[in-house]
Amino acid sequence: HVQLVESGGGSVQAGGSLRLSCAASGNINDVNFMGWFRQAPGKVREGVASIYAAGGSTYYIDSVKGRFTISQDHAKKTLFLQMNSLKPEDTAMYYCAAGPGRFCGLGVRQYNYWGQGTQVTVS
């Protein structure tokens, strides 16, 4: 099993920045890729960004391209999401997730492990 704990959420004004962190522990050898998802009230959970655990390709939804950057620190077993130029529509609960499958993507069903989430509010 893999445990994921997010941090770094908060309230910012439009145009501001936040950096989310996700600390992973447990049987992380099972993890092939990790991602960030978000869910706003009344909306479905959507994938924001993903990355292969071994490094390499990253994937983003169109609405955050050029503004968000996903990265990881293998030594610290931590995933990051740097969010710049934040907009009110970025307001949501942000979740860290990990998946064991072969192909990295932004589909919720690809991920087996989920954190509890961290709230991001942009006004």
Side-chain angles (χ1 to χ4, degrees):
H1 195 70
V2 176
Q3 294 81 41
L4 303 170
V5 179
E6 304 95 335
S7 62
S11 297
V12 295
Q13 292 187 337
S17 298
L18 283 174
R19 189 192 196 201
L20 304 183
S21 299
C22 172
S25 60
N27 196 10
I28 60 174
N29 289 332
D30 286 349
V31 174
N32 189 38
F33 50 83
M34 298 188 71
W36 287 99
F37 289 74
R38 66 186 180 186
Q39 187 167 17
K43 295 188 177 181
V44 299
R45 187 170 299 189
E46 65 175 355
V48 174
S50 62
I51 186 171
Y52 280 102
S57 299
T58 57
Y59 303 90
Y60 299 90
I61 55 170
D62 288 345
S63 61
V64 307
K65 287 180 179 177
R67 300 189 298 122
F68 291 11
T69 303
I70 189 170
S71 62
Q72 56 192 347
D73 184 326
H74 290 100
K76 296 182 178 179
K77 300 177 184 178
T78 303
L79 182 73
F80 302 101
L81 185 68
Q82 177 67 43
M83 305 186 295
N84 298 327
S85 302
L86 282 161
K87 304 175 180 180
E89 51 263 44
D90 294 319
T91 295
M93 184 72 78
Y94 282 70
Y95 298 90
C96 172
R102 181 176 179 182
F103 298 108
C104 176
L106 297 174
V108 171
R109 294 184 178 183
Q110 293 178 270
Y111 294 78
N112 288 11
Y113 307 108
W114 295 85
Q116 294 299 308
T118 184
Q119 178 67 39
V120 172
T121 303
V122 185
S123 59

Short mmCIF file of all heavy atoms in Angstrom, two decimals, residues 4 9 11 13 17 21 26 31 36 40 42-43 47 55 63 66-68 71 73 79 86 96 98 113 118-120:
data_model
loop_
_atom_site.label_atom_id
_atom_site.label_comp_id
_atom_site.label_asym_id
_atom_site.label_seq_id
_atom_site.Cartn_x
_atom_site.Cartn_y
_atom_site.Cartn_z
N LEU A 4 -0.22 8.81 0.72
CA LEU A 4 0.08 10.10 0.11
C LEU A 4 -0.48 11.22 0.99
O LEU A 4 -1.65 11.15 1.38
CB LEU A 4 -0.55 10.18 -1.29
CG LEU A 4 -0.13 9.10 -2.27
CD1 LEU A 4 -1.00 9.15 -3.52
CD2 LEU A 4 1.33 9.23 -2.64
N GLY A 9 -1.63 23.94 0.14
CA GLY A 9 -2.79 24.68 -0.33
C GLY A 9 -2.99 25.96 0.47
O GLY A 9 -2.33 26.19 1.48
N SER A 11 -5.15 30.18 0.32
CA SER A 11 -5.93 31.20 -0.39
C SER A 11 -5.00 32.24 -0.96
O SER A 11 -4.13 32.76 -0.25
CB SER A 11 -6.92 31.85 0.58
OG SER A 11 -7.85 30.92 1.07
N GLN A 13 -4.70 35.53 -4.18
CA GLN A 13 -5.38 36.38 -5.14
C GLN A 13 -5.04 35.93 -6.55
O GLN A 13 -4.01 35.30 -6.79
CB GLN A 13 -4.97 37.84 -4.94
CG GLN A 13 -5.47 38.43 -3.63
CD GLN A 13 -5.19 39.92 -3.52
OE1 GLN A 13 -4.29 40.44 -4.18
NE2 GLN A 13 -5.95 40.60 -2.68
N SER A 17 0.73 32.69 -6.82
CA SER A 17 1.32 31.37 -7.00
C SER A 17 1.20 30.55 -5.72
O SER A 17 1.15 31.11 -4.61
CB SER A 17 2.81 31.50 -7.35
OG SER A 17 3.00 32.17 -8.57
N SER A 21 2.75 20.18 -2.38
CA SER A 21 3.66 19.07 -2.17
C SER A 21 2.86 17.82 -1.82
O SER A 21 1.79 17.92 -1.23
CB SER A 21 4.64 19.37 -1.03
OG SER A 21 5.43 20.50 -1.32
N GLY A 26 5.38 4.16 2.11
CA GLY A 26 4.84 2.82 1.93
C GLY A 26 5.54 2.11 0.78
O GLY A 26 6.72 2.34 0.53
N VAL A 31 4.63 2.03 -7.59
CA VAL A 31 4.16 3.21 -8.31
C VAL A 31 4.94 3.41 -9.60
O VAL A 31 6.17 3.47 -9.59
CB VAL A 31 4.29 4.46 -7.41
CG1 VAL A 31 3.92 5.71 -8.20
CG2 VAL A 31 3.39 4.32 -6.19
N TRP A 36 -1.61 14.90 -10.24
CA TRP A 36 -2.41 15.85 -9.46
C TRP A 36 -3.79 15.95 -10.10
O TRP A 36 -3.90 16.09 -11.32
CB TRP A 36 -1.76 17.23 -9.42
CG TRP A 36 -0.55 17.30 -8.56
CD1 TRP A 36 0.75 17.23 -8.96
CD2 TRP A 36 -0.52 17.46 -7.14
NE1 TRP A 36 1.59 17.33 -7.88
CE2 TRP A 36 0.84 17.48 -6.74
CE3 TRP A 36 -1.50 17.60 -6.16
CZ2 TRP A 36 1.23 17.63 -5.41
CZ3 TRP A 36 -1.12 17.75 -4.84
CH2 TRP A 36 0.24 17.76 -4.47
N ALA A 40 -13.73 20.68 -7.98
CA ALA A 40 -14.46 21.85 -7.48
C ALA A 40 -15.85 21.41 -7.05
O ALA A 40 -16.36 20.38 -7.53
CB ALA A 40 -14.54 22.91 -8.57
N GLY A 42 -19.49 20.47 -6.90
CA GLY A 42 -20.46 20.21 -7.95
C GLY A 42 -19.88 19.77 -9.27
O GLY A 42 -20.62 19.59 -10.25
N LYS A 43 -18.58 19.56 -9.33
CA LYS A 43 -17.94 19.16 -10.58
C LYS A 43 -17.23 17.83 -10.39
O LYS A 43 -16.92 17.41 -9.28
CB LYS A 43 -16.96 20.23 -11.04
CG LYS A 43 -17.62 21.55 -11.42
CD LYS A 43 -16.62 22.49 -12.06
CE LYS A 43 -17.31 23.78 -12.50
NZ LYS A 43 -16.35 24.72 -13.15
N GLY A 47 -8.12 15.34 -13.96
CA GLY A 47 -6.67 15.28 -13.90
C GLY A 47 -6.06 16.59 -14.34
O GLY A 47 -6.48 17.16 -15.34
N GLY A 55 10.75 9.49 -14.09
CA GLY A 55 11.14 10.71 -14.79
C GLY A 55 10.72 10.65 -16.23
O GLY A 55 10.22 9.65 -16.73
N SER A 63 -5.96 23.69 -19.84
CA SER A 63 -6.24 24.90 -19.08
C SER A 63 -5.11 25.32 -18.14
O SER A 63 -5.11 26.45 -17.65
CB SER A 63 -7.53 24.73 -18.28
OG SER A 63 -7.42 23.66 -17.37
N GLY A 66 1.53 25.89 -19.36
CA GLY A 66 2.22 27.17 -19.30
C GLY A 66 2.11 27.86 -17.96
O GLY A 66 2.82 28.85 -17.71
N ARG A 67 1.23 27.37 -17.09
CA ARG A 67 1.06 27.97 -15.77
C ARG A 67 1.47 27.02 -14.64
O ARG A 67 1.99 27.46 -13.63
CB ARG A 67 -0.39 28.40 -15.56
CG ARG A 67 -0.90 29.40 -16.57
CD ARG A 67 -2.28 29.94 -16.17
NE ARG A 67 -3.30 28.91 -16.12
CZ ARG A 67 -4.02 28.62 -15.04
NH1 ARG A 67 -3.83 29.29 -13.92
NH2 ARG A 67 -4.95 27.68 -15.09
N PHE A 68 1.20 25.74 -14.80
CA PHE A 68 1.50 24.74 -13.77
C PHE A 68 2.67 23.88 -14.21
O PHE A 68 2.82 23.59 -15.40
CB PHE A 68 0.30 23.83 -13.52
CG PHE A 68 -0.89 24.48 -12.86
CD1 PHE A 68 -0.98 25.86 -12.69
CD2 PHE A 68 -1.94 23.70 -12.39
CE1 PHE A 68 -2.08 26.44 -12.09
CE2 PHE A 68 -3.05 24.27 -11.78
CZ PHE A 68 -3.10 25.65 -11.64
N SER A 71 6.60 18.24 -10.84
CA SER A 71 7.98 17.77 -10.69
C SER A 71 8.05 16.84 -9.49
O SER A 71 7.08 16.69 -8.75
CB SER A 71 8.94 18.95 -10.52
OG SER A 71 8.64 19.67 -9.35
N ASP A 73 10.91 14.93 -6.41
CA ASP A 73 12.21 14.76 -5.76
C ASP A 73 12.27 13.32 -5.30
O ASP A 73 11.63 12.93 -4.33
CB ASP A 73 12.33 15.73 -4.58
CG ASP A 73 13.70 15.67 -3.91
OD1 ASP A 73 14.29 14.56 -3.87
OD2 ASP A 73 14.16 16.70 -3.42
N LEU A 79 6.26 14.68 -4.49
CA LEU A 79 5.74 15.20 -5.75
C LEU A 79 5.35 16.65 -5.52
O LEU A 79 4.85 17.00 -4.44
CB LEU A 79 4.53 14.39 -6.18
CG LEU A 79 3.86 14.75 -7.50
CD1 LEU A 79 4.73 14.31 -8.67
CD2 LEU A 79 2.47 14.10 -7.59
N LEU A 86 -2.36 32.03 -11.08
CA LEU A 86 -3.60 31.36 -10.68
C LEU A 86 -4.83 32.19 -11.02
O LEU A 86 -4.80 33.43 -10.97
CB LEU A 86 -3.56 31.06 -9.19
CG LEU A 86 -2.71 29.84 -8.82
CD1 LEU A 86 -2.33 29.85 -7.35
CD2 LEU A 86 -3.43 28.56 -9.18
N CYS A 96 -3.38 14.46 -4.68
CA CYS A 96 -2.23 13.74 -5.21
C CYS A 96 -2.66 12.28 -5.40
O CYS A 96 -3.43 11.75 -4.60
CB CYS A 96 -1.09 13.84 -4.21
SG CYS A 96 0.36 12.84 -4.55
N ALA A 98 -1.38 8.21 -7.16
CA ALA A 98 -0.31 7.35 -7.69
C ALA A 98 -0.92 6.14 -8.36
O ALA A 98 -1.94 5.60 -7.90
CB ALA A 98 0.62 6.93 -6.56
N TYR A 113 -4.05 4.94 -5.70
CA TYR A 113 -3.79 5.52 -4.38
C TYR A 113 -4.05 7.02 -4.42
O TYR A 113 -3.65 7.70 -5.37
CB TYR A 113 -2.33 5.25 -3.97
CG TYR A 113 -1.95 3.81 -4.04
CD1 TYR A 113 -1.10 3.34 -5.04
CD2 TYR A 113 -2.45 2.89 -3.12
CE1 TYR A 113 -0.75 2.00 -5.11
CE2 TYR A 113 -2.11 1.56 -3.19
CZ TYR A 113 -1.26 1.12 -4.19
OH TYR A 113 -0.93 -0.21 -4.26
N THR A 118 -5.84 18.91 -0.58
CA THR A 118 -5.50 20.21 0.01
C THR A 118 -6.26 21.29 -0.77
O THR A 118 -6.30 21.25 -2.00
CB THR A 118 -3.98 20.46 0.00
OG1 THR A 118 -3.68 21.68 0.67
CG2 THR A 118 -3.41 20.51 -1.42
N GLN A 119 -6.87 22.20 -0.05
CA GLN A 119 -7.75 23.18 -0.68
C GLN A 119 -6.96 24.35 -1.26
O GLN A 119 -6.08 24.90 -0.60
CB GLN A 119 -8.77 23.71 0.34
CG GLN A 119 -9.71 24.77 -0.19
CD GLN A 119 -10.67 24.23 -1.23
OE1 GLN A 119 -11.17 23.11 -1.11
NE2 GLN A 119 -10.95 25.03 -2.26
N VAL A 120 -7.31 24.70 -2.48
CA VAL A 120 -6.75 25.90 -3.13
C VAL A 120 -7.90 26.83 -3.46
O VAL A 120 -8.85 26.43 -4.13
CB VAL A 120 -5.98 25.53 -4.41
CG1 VAL A 120 -5.59 26.78 -5.18
CG2 VAL A 120 -4.75 24.70 -4.07
#
